[in-house]
Structure formats: C-alpha cells, structure tokens
PDB file of all heavy atoms in Angstrom:
ATOM      1  N   ARG A   1      -2.492   4.289 -16.638  1.00  0.00           N
ATOM      2  CA  ARG A   1      -3.140   5.613 -16.740  1.00  0.00           C
ATOM      3  C   ARG A   1      -4.067   5.897 -15.561  1.00  0.00           C
ATOM      4  O   ARG A   1      -4.208   7.030 -15.139  1.00  0.00           O
ATOM      5  CB  ARG A   1      -3.931   5.732 -18.055  1.00  0.00           C
ATOM      6  CG  ARG A   1      -3.043   5.760 -19.311  1.00  0.00           C
ATOM      7  CD  ARG A   1      -3.875   5.918 -20.563  1.00  0.00           C
ATOM      8  NE  ARG A   1      -3.028   5.985 -21.764  1.00  0.00           N
ATOM      9  CZ  ARG A   1      -3.505   6.084 -22.996  1.00  0.00           C
ATOM     10  NH1 ARG A   1      -4.814   6.132 -23.173  1.00  0.00           N
ATOM     11  NH2 ARG A   1      -2.660   6.156 -24.012  1.00  0.00           N
ATOM     12  N   LYS A   2      -4.700   4.850 -15.086  1.00  0.00           N
ATOM     13  CA  LYS A   2      -5.620   5.040 -13.976  1.00  0.00           C
ATOM     14  C   LYS A   2      -4.918   5.022 -12.606  1.00  0.00           C
ATOM     15  O   LYS A   2      -5.566   5.179 -11.568  1.00  0.00           O
ATOM     16  CB  LYS A   2      -6.682   3.934 -14.006  1.00  0.00           C
ATOM     17  CG  LYS A   2      -7.594   3.996 -15.218  1.00  0.00           C
ATOM     18  CD  LYS A   2      -8.677   2.933 -15.150  1.00  0.00           C
ATOM     19  CE  LYS A   2      -9.620   3.072 -16.359  1.00  0.00           C
ATOM     20  NZ  LYS A   2     -10.715   2.043 -16.311  1.00  0.00           N
ATOM     21  N   GLN A   3      -3.583   4.792 -12.639  1.00  0.00           N
ATOM     22  CA  GLN A   3      -2.782   4.805 -11.436  1.00  0.00           C
ATOM     23  C   GLN A   3      -3.339   3.870 -10.364  1.00  0.00           C
ATOM     24  O   GLN A   3      -3.414   4.198  -9.170  1.00  0.00           O
ATOM     25  CB  GLN A   3      -2.663   6.225 -10.880  1.00  0.00           C
ATOM     26  CG  GLN A   3      -1.890   7.169 -11.808  1.00  0.00           C
ATOM     27  CD  GLN A   3      -0.398   6.848 -11.804  1.00  0.00           C
ATOM     28  OE1 GLN A   3       0.343   7.234 -10.897  1.00  0.00           O
ATOM     29  NE2 GLN A   3       0.040   6.169 -12.845  1.00  0.00           N
ATOM     30  N   ALA A   4      -3.691   2.686 -10.800  1.00  0.00           N
ATOM     31  CA  ALA A   4      -4.235   1.676  -9.833  1.00  0.00           C
ATOM     32  C   ALA A   4      -3.110   1.122  -8.974  1.00  0.00           C
ATOM     33  O   ALA A   4      -2.028   0.819  -9.450  1.00  0.00           O
ATOM     34  CB  ALA A   4      -4.885   0.541 -10.630  1.00  0.00           C
ATOM     35  N   ILE A   5      -3.373   1.033  -7.680  1.00  0.00           N
ATOM     36  CA  ILE A   5      -2.378   0.463  -6.754  1.00  0.00           C
ATOM     37  C   ILE A   5      -2.214  -1.018  -7.081  1.00  0.00           C
ATOM     38  O   ILE A   5      -3.175  -1.790  -7.035  1.00  0.00           O
ATOM     39  CB  ILE A   5      -2.828   0.661  -5.294  1.00  0.00           C
ATOM     40  CG1 ILE A   5      -3.045   2.126  -4.960  1.00  0.00           C
ATOM     41  CG2 ILE A   5      -1.808   0.064  -4.348  1.00  0.00           C
ATOM     42  CD1 ILE A   5      -1.795   2.974  -5.062  1.00  0.00           C
ATOM     43  N   THR A   6      -0.983  -1.415  -7.368  1.00  0.00           N
ATOM     44  CA  THR A   6      -0.706  -2.783  -7.862  1.00  0.00           C
ATOM     45  C   THR A   6       0.409  -3.401  -7.032  1.00  0.00           C
ATOM     46  O   THR A   6       1.437  -2.772  -6.777  1.00  0.00           O
ATOM     47  CB  THR A   6      -0.320  -2.763  -9.321  1.00  0.00           C
ATOM     48  OG1 THR A   6      -1.317  -2.109 -10.077  1.00  0.00           O
ATOM     49  CG2 THR A   6      -0.117  -4.171  -9.870  1.00  0.00           C
ATOM     50  N   SER A   7       0.206  -4.665  -6.606  1.00  0.00           N
ATOM     51  CA  SER A   7       1.215  -5.392  -5.882  1.00  0.00           C
ATOM     52  C   SER A   7       2.179  -6.061  -6.876  1.00  0.00           C
ATOM     53  O   SER A   7       1.816  -6.336  -8.015  1.00  0.00           O
ATOM     54  CB  SER A   7       0.562  -6.504  -5.050  1.00  0.00           C
ATOM     55  OG  SER A   7      -0.352  -5.964  -4.140  1.00  0.00           O
ATOM     56  N   SER A   8       3.393  -6.330  -6.423  1.00  0.00           N
ATOM     57  CA  SER A   8       4.372  -6.999  -7.265  1.00  0.00           C
ATOM     58  C   SER A   8       3.902  -8.417  -7.554  1.00  0.00           C
ATOM     59  O   SER A   8       3.106  -9.000  -6.822  1.00  0.00           O
ATOM     60  CB  SER A   8       5.730  -7.038  -6.584  1.00  0.00           C
ATOM     61  OG  SER A   8       5.756  -7.947  -5.512  1.00  0.00           O
ATOM     62  N   ALA A   9       4.479  -8.988  -8.622  1.00  0.00           N
ATOM     63  CA  ALA A   9       4.179 -10.375  -8.948  1.00  0.00           C
ATOM     64  C   ALA A   9       4.516 -11.308  -7.808  1.00  0.00           C
ATOM     65  O   ALA A   9       3.813 -12.283  -7.524  1.00  0.00           O
ATOM     66  CB  ALA A   9       4.917 -10.774 -10.223  1.00  0.00           C
ATOM     67  N   VAL A  10       5.649 -11.048  -7.164  1.00  0.00           N
ATOM     68  CA  VAL A  10       6.074 -11.896  -6.051  1.00  0.00           C
ATOM     69  C   VAL A  10       5.121 -11.799  -4.856  1.00  0.00           C
ATOM     70  O   VAL A  10       4.773 -12.811  -4.235  1.00  0.00           O
ATOM     71  CB  VAL A  10       7.525 -11.537  -5.609  1.00  0.00           C
ATOM     72  CG1 VAL A  10       7.861 -12.099  -4.237  1.00  0.00           C
ATOM     73  CG2 VAL A  10       8.523 -12.048  -6.666  1.00  0.00           C
ATOM     74  N   LYS A  11       4.632 -10.605  -4.571  1.00  0.00           N
ATOM     75  CA  LYS A  11       3.701 -10.458  -3.450  1.00  0.00           C
ATOM     76  C   LYS A  11       2.420 -11.261  -3.746  1.00  0.00           C
ATOM     77  O   LYS A  11       1.880 -11.914  -2.870  1.00  0.00           O
ATOM     78  CB  LYS A  11       3.333  -9.004  -3.218  1.00  0.00           C
ATOM     79  CG  LYS A  11       2.346  -8.812  -2.069  1.00  0.00           C
ATOM     80  CD  LYS A  11       1.963  -7.366  -1.817  1.00  0.00           C
ATOM     81  CE  LYS A  11       0.926  -7.208  -0.750  1.00  0.00           C
ATOM     82  NZ  LYS A  11       0.520  -5.790  -0.525  1.00  0.00           N
ATOM     83  N   GLN A  12       1.963 -11.138  -4.980  1.00  0.00           N
ATOM     84  CA  GLN A  12       0.716 -11.890  -5.341  1.00  0.00           C
ATOM     85  C   GLN A  12       0.892 -13.374  -5.179  1.00  0.00           C
ATOM     86  O   GLN A  12       0.003 -14.049  -4.664  1.00  0.00           O
ATOM     87  CB  GLN A  12       0.321 -11.514  -6.767  1.00  0.00           C
ATOM     88  CG  GLN A  12      -0.107 -10.060  -6.944  1.00  0.00           C
ATOM     89  CD  GLN A  12      -0.385  -9.685  -8.382  1.00  0.00           C
ATOM     90  OE1 GLN A  12      -1.054 -10.435  -9.121  1.00  0.00           O
ATOM     91  NE2 GLN A  12       0.100  -8.523  -8.823  1.00  0.00           N
ATOM     92  N   MET A  13       2.027 -13.887  -5.573  1.00  0.00           N
ATOM     93  CA  MET A  13       2.296 -15.326  -5.429  1.00  0.00           C
ATOM     94  C   MET A  13       2.416 -15.699  -3.947  1.00  0.00           C
ATOM     95  O   MET A  13       1.879 -16.700  -3.486  1.00  0.00           O
ATOM     96  CB  MET A  13       3.578 -15.745  -6.151  1.00  0.00           C
ATOM     97  CG  MET A  13       4.014 -17.178  -5.864  1.00  0.00           C
ATOM     98  SD  MET A  13       5.417 -17.716  -6.866  1.00  0.00           S
ATOM     99  CE  MET A  13       4.517 -18.263  -8.332  1.00  0.00           C
ATOM    100  N   ALA A  14       3.132 -14.855  -3.199  1.00  0.00           N
ATOM    101  CA  ALA A  14       3.349 -15.159  -1.782  1.00  0.00           C
ATOM    102  C   ALA A  14       1.992 -15.204  -0.997  1.00  0.00           C
ATOM    103  O   ALA A  14       1.746 -16.088  -0.203  1.00  0.00           O
ATOM    104  CB  ALA A  14       4.219 -14.083  -1.140  1.00  0.00           C
ATOM    105  N   GLU A  15       1.112 -14.244  -1.337  1.00  0.00           N
ATOM    106  CA  GLU A  15      -0.183 -14.225  -0.671  1.00  0.00           C
ATOM    107  C   GLU A  15      -1.036 -15.409  -1.075  1.00  0.00           C
ATOM    108  O   GLU A  15      -1.791 -15.973  -0.256  1.00  0.00           O
ATOM    109  CB  GLU A  15      -0.896 -12.907  -0.965  1.00  0.00           C
ATOM    110  CG  GLU A  15      -0.256 -11.703  -0.270  1.00  0.00           C
ATOM    111  CD  GLU A  15      -1.003 -10.417  -0.499  1.00  0.00           C
ATOM    112  OE1 GLU A  15      -1.713 -10.292  -1.529  1.00  0.00           O
ATOM    113  OE2 GLU A  15      -0.890  -9.506   0.338  1.00  0.00           O
ATOM    114  N   ALA A  16      -0.879 -15.863  -2.326  1.00  0.00           N
ATOM    115  CA  ALA A  16      -1.636 -17.033  -2.775  1.00  0.00           C
ATOM    116  C   ALA A  16      -1.204 -18.267  -2.025  1.00  0.00           C
ATOM    117  O   ALA A  16      -2.024 -19.211  -1.864  1.00  0.00           O
ATOM    118  CB  ALA A  16      -1.439 -17.218  -4.280  1.00  0.00           C
ATOM    119  N   HIS A  17       0.025 -18.312  -1.532  1.00  0.00           N
ATOM    120  CA  HIS A  17       0.520 -19.440  -0.763  1.00  0.00           C
ATOM    121  C   HIS A  17       0.511 -19.157   0.746  1.00  0.00           C
ATOM    122  O   HIS A  17       1.097 -19.918   1.518  1.00  0.00           O
ATOM    123  CB  HIS A  17       1.969 -19.765  -1.220  1.00  0.00           C
ATOM    124  CG  HIS A  17       2.021 -20.419  -2.570  1.00  0.00           C
ATOM    125  ND1 HIS A  17       1.867 -21.766  -2.747  1.00  0.00           N
ATOM    126  CD2 HIS A  17       2.210 -19.890  -3.788  1.00  0.00           C
ATOM    127  CE1 HIS A  17       1.984 -22.038  -4.033  1.00  0.00           C
ATOM    128  NE2 HIS A  17       2.191 -20.927  -4.705  1.00  0.00           N
ATOM    129  N   HIS A  18      -0.129 -18.055   1.114  1.00  0.00           N
ATOM    130  CA  HIS A  18      -0.293 -17.706   2.550  1.00  0.00           C
ATOM    131  C   HIS A  18       1.026 -17.536   3.259  1.00  0.00           C
ATOM    132  O   HIS A  18       1.191 -17.974   4.407  1.00  0.00           O
ATOM    133  CB  HIS A  18      -1.177 -18.744   3.252  1.00  0.00           C
ATOM    134  CG  HIS A  18      -2.482 -19.043   2.561  1.00  0.00           C
ATOM    135  ND1 HIS A  18      -3.493 -18.105   2.516  1.00  0.00           N
ATOM    136  CD2 HIS A  18      -2.894 -20.120   1.860  1.00  0.00           C
ATOM    137  CE1 HIS A  18      -4.507 -18.604   1.788  1.00  0.00           C
ATOM    138  NE2 HIS A  18      -4.163 -19.822   1.396  1.00  0.00           N
ATOM    139  N   LEU A  19       1.977 -16.913   2.571  1.00  0.00           N
ATOM    140  CA  LEU A  19       3.295 -16.656   3.162  1.00  0.00           C
ATOM    141  C   LEU A  19       3.349 -15.271   3.782  1.00  0.00           C
ATOM    142  O   LEU A  19       2.620 -14.353   3.358  1.00  0.00           O
ATOM    143  CB  LEU A  19       4.385 -16.761   2.097  1.00  0.00           C
ATOM    144  CG  LEU A  19       4.503 -18.103   1.396  1.00  0.00           C
ATOM    145  CD1 LEU A  19       5.499 -18.006   0.246  1.00  0.00           C
ATOM    146  CD2 LEU A  19       4.974 -19.192   2.361  1.00  0.00           C
ATOM    147  N   ASN A  20       4.191 -15.083   4.799  1.00  0.00           N
ATOM    148  CA  ASN A  20       4.402 -13.774   5.373  1.00  0.00           C
ATOM    149  C   ASN A  20       5.069 -12.854   4.357  1.00  0.00           C
ATOM    150  O   ASN A  20       6.006 -13.266   3.646  1.00  0.00           O
ATOM    151  CB  ASN A  20       5.328 -13.854   6.576  1.00  0.00           C
ATOM    152  CG  ASN A  20       4.709 -14.696   7.705  1.00  0.00           C
ATOM    153  OD1 ASN A  20       3.542 -14.526   8.046  1.00  0.00           O
ATOM    154  ND2 ASN A  20       5.490 -15.568   8.341  1.00  0.00           N
ATOM    155  N   VAL A  21       4.596 -11.628   4.238  1.00  0.00           N
ATOM    156  CA  VAL A  21       5.111 -10.657   3.274  1.00  0.00           C
ATOM    157  C   VAL A  21       5.553  -9.388   3.973  1.00  0.00           C
ATOM    158  O   VAL A  21       4.854  -8.846   4.821  1.00  0.00           O
ATOM    159  CB  VAL A  21       4.050 -10.306   2.191  1.00  0.00           C
ATOM    160  CG1 VAL A  21       4.601  -9.252   1.230  1.00  0.00           C
ATOM    161  CG2 VAL A  21       3.673 -11.553   1.390  1.00  0.00           C
ATOM    162  N   PHE A  22       6.742  -8.893   3.606  1.00  0.00           N
ATOM    163  CA  PHE A  22       7.290  -7.663   4.165  1.00  0.00           C
ATOM    164  C   PHE A  22       7.701  -6.743   3.021  1.00  0.00           C
ATOM    165  O   PHE A  22       8.368  -7.210   2.082  1.00  0.00           O
ATOM    166  CB  PHE A  22       8.492  -8.000   5.041  1.00  0.00           C
ATOM    167  CG  PHE A  22       9.198  -6.833   5.653  1.00  0.00           C
ATOM    168  CD1 PHE A  22       8.512  -5.813   6.271  1.00  0.00           C
ATOM    169  CD2 PHE A  22      10.597  -6.767   5.636  1.00  0.00           C
ATOM    170  CE1 PHE A  22       9.149  -4.744   6.878  1.00  0.00           C
ATOM    171  CE2 PHE A  22      11.255  -5.698   6.234  1.00  0.00           C
ATOM    172  CZ  PHE A  22      10.534  -4.674   6.860  1.00  0.00           C
ATOM    173  N   GLN A  23       7.272  -5.477   3.043  1.00  0.00           N
ATOM    174  CA  GLN A  23       7.505  -4.544   1.934  1.00  0.00           C
ATOM    175  C   GLN A  23       8.115  -3.235   2.448  1.00  0.00           C
ATOM    176  O   GLN A  23       7.446  -2.204   2.452  1.00  0.00           O
ATOM    177  CB  GLN A  23       6.197  -4.245   1.219  1.00  0.00           C
ATOM    178  CG  GLN A  23       5.562  -5.463   0.522  1.00  0.00           C
ATOM    179  CD  GLN A  23       4.223  -5.112  -0.052  1.00  0.00           C
ATOM    180  OE1 GLN A  23       3.189  -5.160   0.627  1.00  0.00           O
ATOM    181  NE2 GLN A  23       4.191  -4.752  -1.332  1.00  0.00           N
ATOM    182  N   PRO A  24       9.354  -3.261   2.872  1.00  0.00           N
ATOM    183  CA  PRO A  24       9.937  -2.002   3.356  1.00  0.00           C
ATOM    184  C   PRO A  24      10.140  -0.964   2.254  1.00  0.00           C
ATOM    185  O   PRO A  24      10.526  -1.321   1.137  1.00  0.00           O
ATOM    186  CB  PRO A  24      11.284  -2.455   3.935  1.00  0.00           C
ATOM    187  CG  PRO A  24      11.629  -3.680   3.144  1.00  0.00           C
ATOM    188  CD  PRO A  24      10.306  -4.368   2.880  1.00  0.00           C
ATOM    189  N   ILE A  25       9.861   0.269   2.580  1.00  0.00           N
ATOM    190  CA  ILE A  25      10.097   1.353   1.612  1.00  0.00           C
ATOM    191  C   ILE A  25      11.609   1.525   1.405  1.00  0.00           C
ATOM    192  O   ILE A  25      12.093   1.658   0.303  1.00  0.00           O
ATOM    193  CB  ILE A  25       9.462   2.653   2.083  1.00  0.00           C
ATOM    194  CG1 ILE A  25       7.948   2.524   2.125  1.00  0.00           C
ATOM    195  CG2 ILE A  25       9.877   3.843   1.184  1.00  0.00           C
ATOM    196  CD1 ILE A  25       7.247   3.695   2.766  1.00  0.00           C
ATOM    197  N   SER A  26      12.355   1.447   2.517  1.00  0.00           N
ATOM    198  CA  SER A  26      13.820   1.487   2.462  1.00  0.00           C
ATOM    199  C   SER A  26      14.361   0.394   3.387  1.00  0.00           C
ATOM    200  O   SER A  26      14.292   0.523   4.590  1.00  0.00           O
ATOM    201  CB  SER A  26      14.338   2.856   2.920  1.00  0.00           C
ATOM    202  OG  SER A  26      15.767   2.818   3.035  1.00  0.00           O
ATOM    203  N   ILE A  27      14.885  -0.665   2.769  1.00  0.00           N
ATOM    204  CA  ILE A  27      15.352  -1.780   3.557  1.00  0.00           C
ATOM    205  C   ILE A  27      16.615  -1.436   4.358  1.00  0.00           C
ATOM    206  O   ILE A  27      16.900  -2.063   5.403  1.00  0.00           O
ATOM    207  CB  ILE A  27      15.603  -3.007   2.660  1.00  0.00           C
ATOM    208  CG1 ILE A  27      15.689  -4.298   3.509  1.00  0.00           C
ATOM    209  CG2 ILE A  27      16.843  -2.833   1.819  1.00  0.00           C
ATOM    210  CD1 ILE A  27      15.692  -5.571   2.718  1.00  0.00           C
ATOM    211  N   LYS A  28      17.318  -0.385   3.922  1.00  0.00           N
ATOM    212  CA  LYS A  28      18.496   0.053   4.692  1.00  0.00           C
ATOM    213  C   LYS A  28      18.072   0.514   6.071  1.00  0.00           C
ATOM    214  O   LYS A  28      18.868   0.409   7.028  1.00  0.00           O
ATOM    215  CB  LYS A  28      19.229   1.150   3.936  1.00  0.00           C
ATOM    216  CG  LYS A  28      19.988   0.678   2.706  1.00  0.00           C
ATOM    217  CD  LYS A  28      20.752   1.839   2.047  1.00  0.00           C
ATOM    218  CE  LYS A  28      21.515   1.382   0.856  1.00  0.00           C
ATOM    219  NZ  LYS A  28      22.264   2.503   0.215  1.00  0.00           N
ATOM    220  N   GLU A  29      16.879   1.086   6.189  1.00  0.00           N
ATOM    221  CA  GLU A  29      16.438   1.644   7.474  1.00  0.00           C
ATOM    222  C   GLU A  29      15.427   0.746   8.172  1.00  0.00           C
ATOM    223  O   GLU A  29      15.149   0.941   9.354  1.00  0.00           O
ATOM    224  CB  GLU A  29      15.779   3.034   7.195  1.00  0.00           C
ATOM    225  CG  GLU A  29      16.750   4.035   6.532  1.00  0.00           C
ATOM    226  CD  GLU A  29      16.030   5.279   6.074  1.00  0.00           C
ATOM    227  OE1 GLU A  29      14.789   5.355   6.267  1.00  0.00           O
ATOM    228  OE2 GLU A  29      16.697   6.171   5.557  1.00  0.00           O
ATOM    229  N   ASP A  30      14.887  -0.220   7.477  1.00  0.00           N
ATOM    230  CA  ASP A  30      13.786  -1.023   8.040  1.00  0.00           C
ATOM    231  C   ASP A  30      13.972  -2.494   7.631  1.00  0.00           C
ATOM    232  O   ASP A  30      13.474  -2.929   6.598  1.00  0.00           O
ATOM    233  CB  ASP A  30      12.452  -0.477   7.472  1.00  0.00           C
ATOM    234  CG  ASP A  30      11.246  -1.183   8.044  1.00  0.00           C
ATOM    235  OD1 ASP A  30      11.408  -1.908   9.051  1.00  0.00           O
ATOM    236  OD2 ASP A  30      10.125  -1.021   7.498  1.00  0.00           O
ATOM    237  N   TYR A  31      14.690  -3.232   8.507  1.00  0.00           N
ATOM    238  CA  TYR A  31      14.937  -4.621   8.182  1.00  0.00           C
ATOM    239  C   TYR A  31      14.777  -5.577   9.342  1.00  0.00           C
ATOM    240  O   TYR A  31      15.029  -6.775   9.246  1.00  0.00           O
ATOM    241  CB  TYR A  31      16.332  -4.788   7.564  1.00  0.00           C
ATOM    242  CG  TYR A  31      17.486  -4.332   8.438  1.00  0.00           C
ATOM    243  CD1 TYR A  31      17.967  -5.097   9.502  1.00  0.00           C
ATOM    244  CD2 TYR A  31      18.098  -3.121   8.185  1.00  0.00           C
ATOM    245  CE1 TYR A  31      19.014  -4.682  10.280  1.00  0.00           C
ATOM    246  CE2 TYR A  31      19.159  -2.677   8.965  1.00  0.00           C
ATOM    247  CZ  TYR A  31      19.613  -3.448  10.008  1.00  0.00           C
ATOM    248  OH  TYR A  31      20.667  -3.050  10.795  1.00  0.00           O
ATOM    249  N   GLN A  32      14.328  -5.067  10.504  1.00  0.00           N
ATOM    250  CA  GLN A  32      14.274  -5.893  11.685  1.00  0.00           C
ATOM    251  C   GLN A  32      13.318  -7.080  11.512  1.00  0.00           C
ATOM    252  O   GLN A  32      13.562  -8.171  12.027  1.00  0.00           O
ATOM    253  CB  GLN A  32      13.824  -5.083  12.896  1.00  0.00           C
ATOM    254  CG  GLN A  32      13.853  -5.840  14.226  1.00  0.00           C
ATOM    255  CD  GLN A  32      15.202  -6.371  14.585  1.00  0.00           C
ATOM    256  OE1 GLN A  32      16.215  -5.675  14.458  1.00  0.00           O
ATOM    257  NE2 GLN A  32      15.285  -7.684  14.993  1.00  0.00           N
ATOM    258  N   THR A  33      12.259  -6.903  10.741  1.00  0.00           N
ATOM    259  CA  THR A  33      11.322  -7.979  10.496  1.00  0.00           C
ATOM    260  C   THR A  33      12.010  -9.198   9.901  1.00  0.00           C
ATOM    261  O   THR A  33      11.699 -10.342  10.268  1.00  0.00           O
ATOM    262  CB  THR A  33      10.189  -7.522   9.547  1.00  0.00           C
ATOM    263  OG1 THR A  33       9.425  -6.483  10.165  1.00  0.00           O
ATOM    264  CG2 THR A  33       9.254  -8.657   9.174  1.00  0.00           C
ATOM    265  N   ILE A  34      12.973  -8.977   8.984  1.00  0.00           N
ATOM    266  CA  ILE A  34      13.702 -10.063   8.380  1.00  0.00           C
ATOM    267  C   ILE A  34      14.488 -10.848   9.435  1.00  0.00           C
ATOM    268  O   ILE A  34      14.492 -12.073   9.464  1.00  0.00           O
ATOM    269  CB  ILE A  34      14.638  -9.566   7.289  1.00  0.00           C
ATOM    270  CG1 ILE A  34      13.827  -8.810   6.213  1.00  0.00           C
ATOM    271  CG2 ILE A  34      15.409 -10.714   6.614  1.00  0.00           C
ATOM    272  CD1 ILE A  34      14.658  -8.074   5.211  1.00  0.00           C
ATOM    273  N   LEU A  35      15.174 -10.150  10.301  1.00  0.00           N
ATOM    274  CA  LEU A  35      15.966 -10.776  11.377  1.00  0.00           C
ATOM    275  C   LEU A  35      15.039 -11.516  12.328  1.00  0.00           C
ATOM    276  O   LEU A  35      15.401 -12.579  12.846  1.00  0.00           O
ATOM    277  CB  LEU A  35      16.800  -9.736  12.105  1.00  0.00           C
ATOM    278  CG  LEU A  35      17.777  -8.914  11.245  1.00  0.00           C
ATOM    279  CD1 LEU A  35      18.638  -8.039  12.159  1.00  0.00           C
ATOM    280  CD2 LEU A  35      18.644  -9.791  10.389  1.00  0.00           C
ATOM    281  N   ASP A  36      13.864 -10.959  12.559  1.00  0.00           N
ATOM    282  CA  ASP A  36      12.900 -11.622  13.456  1.00  0.00           C
ATOM    283  C   ASP A  36      12.436 -12.982  12.873  1.00  0.00           C
ATOM    284  O   ASP A  36      12.067 -13.868  13.667  1.00  0.00           O
ATOM    285  CB  ASP A  36      11.690 -10.707  13.710  1.00  0.00           C
ATOM    286  CG  ASP A  36      12.005  -9.518  14.553  1.00  0.00           C
ATOM    287  OD1 ASP A  36      13.085  -9.524  15.184  1.00  0.00           O
ATOM    288  OD2 ASP A  36      11.182  -8.555  14.516  1.00  0.00           O
ATOM    289  N   TRP A  37      12.510 -13.102  11.582  1.00  0.00           N
ATOM    290  CA  TRP A  37      12.150 -14.421  10.977  1.00  0.00           C
ATOM    291  C   TRP A  37      13.243 -15.440  11.177  1.00  0.00           C
ATOM    292  O   TRP A  37      13.094 -16.616  10.824  1.00  0.00           O
ATOM    293  CB  TRP A  37      11.879 -14.236   9.455  1.00  0.00           C
ATOM    294  CG  TRP A  37      10.556 -13.585   9.153  1.00  0.00           C
ATOM    295  CD1 TRP A  37       9.462 -13.522   9.948  1.00  0.00           C
ATOM    296  CD2 TRP A  37      10.218 -12.874   7.925  1.00  0.00           C
ATOM    297  NE1 TRP A  37       8.433 -12.838   9.307  1.00  0.00           N
ATOM    298  CE2 TRP A  37       8.876 -12.435   8.069  1.00  0.00           C
ATOM    299  CE3 TRP A  37      10.905 -12.586   6.760  1.00  0.00           C
ATOM    300  CZ2 TRP A  37       8.231 -11.719   7.060  1.00  0.00           C
ATOM    301  CZ3 TRP A  37      10.281 -11.874   5.775  1.00  0.00           C
ATOM    302  CH2 TRP A  37       8.951 -11.435   5.898  1.00  0.00           C
ATOM    303  N   GLN A  38      14.402 -15.005  11.628  1.00  0.00           N
ATOM    304  CA  GLN A  38      15.548 -15.869  11.896  1.00  0.00           C
ATOM    305  C   GLN A  38      15.922 -16.752  10.700  1.00  0.00           C
ATOM    306  O   GLN A  38      15.934 -18.009  10.773  1.00  0.00           O
ATOM    307  CB  GLN A  38      15.278 -16.778  13.139  1.00  0.00           C
ATOM    308  CG  GLN A  38      15.026 -15.948  14.401  1.00  0.00           C
ATOM    309  CD  GLN A  38      14.826 -16.858  15.611  1.00  0.00           C
ATOM    310  OE1 GLN A  38      14.072 -17.845  15.573  1.00  0.00           O
ATOM    311  NE2 GLN A  38      15.468 -16.504  16.714  1.00  0.00           N
ATOM    312  N   PRO A  39      16.282 -16.104   9.591  1.00  0.00           N
ATOM    313  CA  PRO A  39      16.613 -16.878   8.382  1.00  0.00           C
ATOM    314  C   PRO A  39      17.899 -17.697   8.527  1.00  0.00           C
ATOM    315  O   PRO A  39      18.904 -17.175   9.039  1.00  0.00           O
ATOM    316  CB  PRO A  39      16.729 -15.836   7.287  1.00  0.00           C
ATOM    317  CG  PRO A  39      17.095 -14.580   8.040  1.00  0.00           C
ATOM    318  CD  PRO A  39      16.373 -14.660   9.338  1.00  0.00           C
ATOM    319  N   ASP A  40      17.853 -18.929   8.056  1.00  0.00           N
ATOM    320  CA  ASP A  40      19.095 -19.716   7.927  1.00  0.00           C
ATOM    321  C   ASP A  40      19.696 -19.556   6.558  1.00  0.00           C
ATOM    322  O   ASP A  40      20.893 -19.825   6.356  1.00  0.00           O
ATOM    323  CB  ASP A  40      18.766 -21.204   8.163  1.00  0.00           C
ATOM    324  CG  ASP A  40      18.268 -21.456   9.593  1.00  0.00           C
ATOM    325  OD1 ASP A  40      18.966 -21.068  10.517  1.00  0.00           O
ATOM    326  OD2 ASP A  40      17.150 -22.041   9.720  1.00  0.00           O
ATOM    327  N   LEU A  41      18.866 -19.134   5.583  1.00  0.00           N
ATOM    328  CA  LEU A  41      19.334 -18.904   4.208  1.00  0.00           C
ATOM    329  C   LEU A  41      18.460 -17.809   3.608  1.00  0.00           C
ATOM    330  O   LEU A  41      17.215 -17.822   3.772  1.00  0.00           O
ATOM    331  CB  LEU A  41      19.196 -20.208   3.358  1.00  0.00           C
ATOM    332  CG  LEU A  41      19.463 -20.066   1.840  1.00  0.00           C
ATOM    333  CD1 LEU A  41      20.915 -19.690   1.596  1.00  0.00           C
ATOM    334  CD2 LEU A  41      19.073 -21.362   1.139  1.00  0.00           C
ATOM    335  N   ILE A  42      19.080 -16.860   2.904  1.00  0.00           N
ATOM    336  CA  ILE A  42      18.341 -15.844   2.168  1.00  0.00           C
ATOM    337  C   ILE A  42      18.596 -16.080   0.679  1.00  0.00           C
ATOM    338  O   ILE A  42      19.769 -16.209   0.264  1.00  0.00           O
ATOM    339  CB  ILE A  42      18.752 -14.427   2.560  1.00  0.00           C
ATOM    340  CG1 ILE A  42      18.258 -14.126   4.004  1.00  0.00           C
ATOM    341  CG2 ILE A  42      18.187 -13.410   1.599  1.00  0.00           C
ATOM    342  CD1 ILE A  42      18.752 -12.774   4.524  1.00  0.00           C
TER     343      ILE A  42
END
C-alpha cells in the first residue's frame, strides 16, 4: 500500500554476498553487461 521500492529476493542475497548485480528493464535490448562478464555457464 505504501508502494515502497523493494529489491527482489535474489538481489538481496546477491548483495549480501557482494556479487555483481545487473537489472535490465528489457533484457532483449540491454544484455551487453552479461557478455562482458564472459560467462562459461548460465
């Protein structure tokens, strides 16, 4: 009801472990950050 800005459960856990977090509004248009991380497995 108070419309408080709230992070996802995963973001909260990731930040607690000091992990890099990326939150694209539309991943179809904004995904370069993921490629820059050079993932071997997703």
Side-chain angles (χ1 to χ4, degrees):
R1 291 182 179 178
K2 295 184 178 180
Q3 294 290 279
I5 301 296
T6 305
S7 301
S8 73
V10 164
K11 180 182 178 181
Q12 293 175 44
M13 172 174 275
E15 289 184 335
H17 288 275
H18 308 291
L19 299 173
N20 297 315
V21 176
F22 179 46
Q23 298 175 274
I25 294 172
S26 172
I27 197 170
K28 288 183 179 180
E29 301 170 359
D30 183 14
Y31 58 79
Q32 185 58 46
T33 296
I34 302 170
L35 302 186
D36 290 343
W37 285 337
Q38 299 182 315
D40 296 306
L41 172 66
I42 291 176

